[in-house]
Amino acid sequence: MTYRSPVTDIRFILDHVVPLAPVAATELFAEATPDMVEAILTEGGKLCDEVIAPTNREGDLTPAKLENGVVRSPAGFKEAFAALAEGGWIGIAADPEHGGMGLPQALNVGFNDMLSGANLSLQLSPLLTQGQIEALEHHASDEIKALYLPKLISGEWSGTMNLTEPGAGSDVGALKTKAVPNDDGTYAISGQKIFITWGDNDCVENTCHLVLARLPDAAPGTKGISLFMVPKLIPDADGKPGVANSLKVVSLEHKLGIHGSPTCVMSYEGATGWLVGEENKGMAAMFTMMNNARLNVGAQGIGVAEAAYQQALAYAKDRVQFAPIVEHADVRRMLACMKAEIFAARSIALACGVAIDMGRATGDANWQARAALLTPIAKAYGTDMGIRVASTGVQVHGGMGFIEETGAAQYLRDVRITTIYEGTNGIQAMDLVGRKMMDEGKAAFRLLQEIEDEAQGARGDFPVLAEDVWQAAEELREHTEWMVSRGMQDRFAGAVPYLDAFARVLGGYYHLRAAMAEGRDSARGHLAAVYIRRLMPAYAASLAEAKEGAEGLYALSVEDLEA
Ligand SMILES: Cc1cc2nc3c(=O)[nH]c(=O)nc-3n(C[C@H](O)[C@H](O)[C@H](O)COP(=O)(O)OP(=O)(O)OC[C@H]3O[C@@H](n4cnc5c(N)ncnc54)[C@H](O)[C@@H]3O)c2cc1C
């Protein structure tokens, strides 16, 4: 089965559903003309289809391995990575001052979606490098920027993100890695980090680690964390990789999926590090990297779902049981729902990208708040949906879906991690109902108003679908009013179903916009009806659960759970 990047859908969404045109109308993104968008998506898609996707299976079958302290990537990955680097794809959204293309984040999200569908394990390397580039652009000194950014953007070097330790996962503030100031302004970094994605590799000449660590006498928790650049090879006076730093990969994890992506246990043994940003302000700097990565992890879920869908559709057209199985109502239901969910999640992720770009280009606080609100939704819904769709893809294959040769199982195994890393989806949902609603829900209400206004205007052409979307937005508004009046424990207990409801209402809205662009009797009109009538209604059940609050959960004691 050959993977085809969803260029047409991404293009359609950026033209009609969450338009990129206002972004391109700003001075900052004036280069993102329709011709440029077309060229980027078409060329990027071609690279994903012809060069990257053929390496996906090999990565699963022959995982990355550790040989004499060096990580060897699976066959074909080096060449595929080189093609990504040569085409400038790592720096799509990076600052042109250091060699980036300076294009909108929305286009980068679209590219990451296509790349993830082609090979999720490989995509993780540029994903983390892109996050590191953004963190350095915002927080690093001019010297660090000048030394590292051109190499990271060109793909000569790659970047990692080192937060997690055995005792510090979701609770990053518990980390113990130490940073002791040296006499020359550098710091000696010591400690163990686990689960470090692409912590070493043979695709680049240097691996640059952004490491969170604690200065002596720093305050406990997240307030006492600083961020350091710790390169594998210390750059010499000419900026070339020089002597080896005091760090090593101790081992690689054996995982359920993404076998091609090396997940490393790292040991830092007095390694030389350079401070990024201010002392004890490391979390703020790391958040720049994490926010970028969160949205693009949402795109990972969408990309893998797309690949799983394409494979399931091809199989369903081929496989005959009484008739080609694509003709059976339940199989048709599965395929239609897969396609409709992917479109909804893709629109949400691109809407988040557009909001980030508008916020950057205009400095408008409302756009920035929109981007902040949409980030956890794009991450969690994109990845939850990715698992649902990949699992349905296995189901469409029947028994063959459970057999590894088919490849359908790989998508499910690979995508499973996406709801866990970059902050679990539970943590994303808590972010949505906590930090992102510190404004008493203003950003959410603005978005819901927009949905209601648009649905109101669509009633003439789409009386049923528009009414459904309007009604859903209204119920979500009422629930949001209720929620912002509650304490955090109640909010947190309902956070995951609330996020799901929000995403479904957004998905309905974006499908309605797609239908309005093409008409009721178009393919997009029919797909909108599938989403709005069959998938969106789950928002009501999610809101009912969200409104239950925390009390009932704790009424069931730990002993009750054990009984
Ligand atoms: C393949 C892979 C790659 C990774 N790559 C990287 C990487 O490159 N860099 C890096 O730093 N880390 C990386 N990670 C680590 C990843 O980000 C963490 O696994 C993730 O943040 C969760 O932390 P944890 O595993 O310690 O789980 P825990 O924090 O122990 O969470 C366990 C469960 O408890 C829930 N939970 C925890 N705290 C709360 C709370 N306060 N409220 C409600 N629920 C809560 C979680 O949602 C989860 O369901 C990777 C992990 C894997 C498996």
Side-chain angles (χ1 to χ4, degrees), residues 124-153:
L124 272 157
S125 174
L127 170 89
L128 287 160
T129 302
Q130 287 177 349
Q132 184 171 115
I133 289 167
E134 201 174 323
L136 295 182
E137 282 176 351
H138 283 88
H139 303 285
S141 65
D142 288 345
E143 291 76 27
I144 290 184
K145 282 185 196 167
L147 180 55
Y148 287 90
L149 284 174
K151 303 281 191 190
L152 292 166
I153 290 169

Side-chain angles (χ1 to χ4, degrees), residues 331-458:
V331 176
R332 191 65 71 90
R333 176 191 64 80
M334 287 193 275
L335 292 165
C337 289
M338 289 166 90
K339 191 173 174 67
E341 277 228 88
I342 294 167
F343 186 88
R346 183 169 282 142
S347 299
I348 293 170
L350 291 171
C352 184
V354 166
I356 290 172
D357 294 326
M358 289 304 287
R360 265 193 69 201
T362 65
D364 182 334
N366 284 345
W367 276 115
Q368 289 164 356
R370 170 76 54 95
L373 180 80
L374 288 178
T375 300
I377 302 176
K379 194 275 180 180
Y381 186 67
T383 56
D384 280 336
M385 180 284 302
I387 294 175
R388 272 197 299 274
V389 166
S391 180
T392 309
V394 171
Q395 191 71 15
V396 169
H397 285 76
M400 283 312 289
F402 202 68
I403 306 301
E404 286 288 355
E405 283 119 80
T406 321
Q410 185 192 340
Y411 294 126
L412 181 56
R413 288 187 288 99
D414 281 357
V415 80
R416 187 63 192 83
I417 183 59
T418 59
T419 61
I420 296 172
Y421 57 28
E422 276 318 313
T424 64
N425 283 6
I427 299 289
Q428 302 300 323
M430 287 163 64
D431 179 45
L432 174 67
V433 302
R435 256 166 31 100
K436 302 299 165 60
M437 299 224 170
M438 292 301 222
D439 63 351
E440 310 275 295
K442 283 197 186 78
F445 292 131
R446 263 197 305 275
L447 180 52
L448 291 171
Q449 191 60 50
E450 180 185 309
I451 297 174
E452 288 187 15
D453 290 347
E454 191 109 1
Q456 192 69 22

